[in-house]
């Protein structure tokens, strides 16, 4: 009788200790924004602005298909629209030397941070091979829920949370126009806009 009581008591104590350890780990995870600030960028410096939201793209690898996504995101986030609107960072679970070589090869103008030991991966709670997270004033306010979400879907979803839907749409349209200007030039872009009934934004200097 006493033997069984002792056994049950031992199991109860062990379960309690394991539960307490799990809660401690969750509540004592390092702040991801603090970790980002402490991690040296291998490309341009990461300078977080208090008045700007932060979009973090985490990649578990920089090989195969994920490399194509990484290069594509680096190009997207270099746009003037996003550089003026928000802070961005690419984080990759790889060694610093490998990521630095990649950043130099493609002349990235977006902060790129290596996470070889997965500290940021754990702090962020990364679930997919590429996973987007959005912060406002240092607090996590949004994260990608669909692992197959497109770049447009990710940008629009985060912008809607950070700025509201109306401004988010305006910013997205400004980015699209920036792409058109780069690809077709001002004259062709404005002809297309007139044809579609969009007012010419000459007053904005674009």
């Amino acid at each position: 009788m006493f033997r069984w009581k002792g056994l049950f008591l031992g199991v109860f104590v062990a379960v309690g200790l394991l539960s307490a350890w799990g809660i401690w780990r969750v509540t004592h995870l390092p702040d991801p924004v603090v970790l980002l600030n402490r991690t040296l960028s291998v490309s341009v410096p990461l300078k977080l602005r208090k008045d700007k939201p932060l979009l973090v793209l985490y990649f578990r690898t920089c090989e195969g298909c994920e490399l194509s996504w990484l290069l594509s995101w680096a190009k997207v986030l270099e746009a003037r629209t996003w550089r003026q609107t928000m802070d961005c960072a690419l984080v990759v679970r790889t060694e610093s030397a490998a990521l630095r070589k990649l950043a130099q090869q493609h002349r990235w103008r977006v902060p790129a941070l290596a996470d070889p030991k997965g500290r940021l991966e754990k702090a962020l709670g990364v679930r997919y091979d590429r996973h987007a997270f959005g912060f406002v004033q240092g607090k996590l306010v949004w994260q990608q829920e669909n692992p197959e979400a497109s770049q447009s879907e990710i940008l629009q979803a985060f912008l809607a949370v950070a700025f509201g839907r109306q401004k988010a749409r305006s910013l997205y349209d400004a980015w699209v126009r920036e792409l058109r200007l780069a690809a077709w030039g001002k004259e062709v872009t404005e002809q297309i806009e007139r044809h579609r009934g969009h007012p010419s934004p000459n007053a904005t200097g674009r």
Side-chain angles (χ1 to χ4, degrees):
M1 180 73 174
F2 289 106
R3 182 180 178 183
W4 283 107
K5 284 184 177 180
L7 179 61
F8 285 132
L9 179 61
V11 171
F12 178 79
V13 171
V15 170
L17 289 173
L18 287 172
S19 299
W21 169 245
I23 293 172
W24 186 91
R25 287 192 65 187
V26 171
T27 57
H28 287 75
L29 283 173
D31 186 291
V33 176
V34 173
L35 279 180
L36 284 167
N37 268 321
R38 292 177 180 174
T39 306
L40 184 65
S41 173
V42 301
S43 53
V44 298
L46 175 62
K47 297 179 180 179
L48 299 180
R49 296 166 288 183
K50 292 183 179 180
D51 61 329
K52 302 294 183 184
L54 167 66
L55 179 64
V56 177
L57 279 301
Y58 194 100
F59 296 82
R60 281 180 169 160
T61 181
C62 56
E63 299 178 350
C65 294
E66 297 310 313
L67 174 58
S68 298
W69 277 103
L70 178 59
L71 296 177
S72 179
W73 268 113
K75 190 67 177 175
V76 166
L77 297 178
E78 287 177 353
R80 182 178 61 177
T81 301
W82 305 136
R83 286 187 284 116
Q84 292 177 345
T85 301
M86 61 185 175
D87 295 318
C88 306
L90 301 173
V91 185
V92 186
R93 183 156 187 181
T94 189
E95 297 297 330
S96 295
L99 189 59
R100 181 178 295 107
K101 182 179 179 181
L102 194 62
Q104 291 174 346
Q105 179 182 354
H106 295 277
R107 299 179 180 179
W108 286 351
R109 291 186 293 168
V110 179
L113 290 71
D115 186 37
K117 295 182 179 180
R119 294 185 66 202
L120 276 164
E121 180 180 8
K122 292 177 182 177
L124 289 165
V126 175
R127 291 177 292 167
Y128 317 127
D129 288 339
R130 57 180 182 275
H131 199 162
F133 299 86
F135 296 82
V136 174
Q137 295 182 348
K139 302 297 182 182
L140 179 66
V141 297
W142 172 87
Q143 65 174 293
Q144 176 184 351
E145 295 296 340
N146 176 11
E148 302 301 324
S150 66
Q151 291 171 325
S152 295
E153 290 170 336
I154 287 171
L155 287 168
Q156 291 184 82
F158 173 52
L159 291 171
V161 173
F163 296 105
R165 292 192 178 278
Q166 185 173 353
K167 187 174 180 179
R169 186 65 213 180
S170 176
L171 289 169
Y172 186 82
D173 289 345
W175 173 56
V176 171
R177 187 170 197 274
E178 183 179 345
L179 296 179
R180 289 173 179 162
L181 286 169
W184 303 330
K186 183 177 180 180
E187 184 177 349
V188 174
T189 298
E190 291 185 349
Q191 286 178 357
I192 293 173
E193 289 172 345
R194 284 195 295 270
H195 178 71
R196 293 181 177 178
H198 296 291
S200 177
N202 288 334
T204 66
R206 289 185 178 274

